[in-house]
Amino acid sequence: MFQVRIHGRGGQGAVTAAELLSVAAFVEGRHAQAFPSFGSERTGAPVMAFCRIDDRPIRVREPVTRPDALVIQDATLLHQVNVFDGLRPGGPVLVNSPRGADDLGLETLDGPVLTVPATALALRHVGRPVPSAVLLGGLAALTGCVTIDSLEAAIRDRFPGVLGTNNAAAAREAYDHVEVLCKERAHAEAD
């Protein structure tokens, strides 16, 4: 089973991201579940959302405490919430930031830590600072948990018309961006 935990702030689309990821898994004929966890229900408050994906029915119904991967939708959470709690050793982390992982003080993590300027991509493609779909494109490239094609299908289904087309394009751009970063990282490690 692949488990991902998404950290964000209210209004950034963390819950929508988990749902989109689960729908992308369904498109691929897999089993998935998505659900949120949040305290105060106000814009800007820290929130978490979870997604599990498996080839078999998923019977567990509790929050993801040992995620295989993390998505951080807001880099300010790195210093406010213990976002890395329970992350499996070597688990990949994707952070919404125009800055690199080293600039964010994340060089000590043992898994791949990549950043994507997701808010900027969302603003350019969608006209709103909602990084959820963008980061899912990056997550698909980083982990292979779903294909970019199934993710685009889930996005277009959730957001019909121009909004879906633009969000899918933003996700594809993030996918391509992270794919390049992964190749560069693999090349650097081989040297």
Side-chain angles (χ1 to χ4, degrees):
M1 182 181 328
F2 178 79
Q3 302 182 97
V4 64
R5 190 169 65 212
I6 302 168
H7 290 269
R9 294 193 178 276
Q12 288 184 315
V15 174
T16 300
E19 291 171 1
L20 287 170
L21 190 58
S22 69
V23 171
F26 289 138
V27 167
E28 296 176 1
R30 299 163 73 198
H31 298 270
Q33 65 176 212
F35 53 97
S37 173
F38 44 83
S40 60
E41 299 179 23
R42 62 182 171 78
T43 300
V47 299
M48 283 188 293
F50 313 99
C51 183
R52 290 187 175 97
I53 300 171
D54 204 342
D55 293 327
R56 299 177 296 187
I58 300 170
R59 307 230 184 275
V60 64
R61 299 279 187 251
E62 57 197 40
V64 173
T65 57
R66 301 279 302 154
D68 296 300
L70 292 174
V71 175
I72 317 298
Q73 292 186 325
D74 187 323
T76 64
L77 292 171
L78 296 170
H79 307 292
Q80 292 182 352
V81 179
N82 189 3
V83 295
F84 305 108
D85 189 38
L87 178 63
R88 74 167 170 81
V93 177
L94 187 65
V95 181
N96 174 16
S97 177
R99 298 168 50 200
D102 291 351
D103 292 338
L104 296 172
L106 303 177
E107 66 279 348
T108 60
L109 293 175
D110 63 350
V113 180
L114 300 178
T115 62
V116 174
T119 299
L121 291 174
L123 282 168
R124 194 175 52 179
H125 284 276
V126 183
R128 294 186 55 220
V130 182
S132 56
V134 179
L135 287 165
L136 291 181
L139 181 68
L142 180 59
T143 66
C145 62
V146 295
T147 67
I148 187 62
D149 293 335
S150 64
L151 181 60
E152 286 180 326
I155 291 168
R156 285 190 179 103
D157 183 60
R158 173 70 184 260
F159 304 109
V162 174
L163 185 59
T165 299
N166 292 349
N167 268 296
R172 174 69 73 165
E173 186 173 343
Y175 179 90
D176 294 342
H177 175 81
V178 170
E179 200 170 47
V180 168
L181 293 176
C182 288
K183 287 177 183 173
E184 289 173 355
R185 180 183 168 98
H187 183 69
E189 289 175 355
D191 288 344

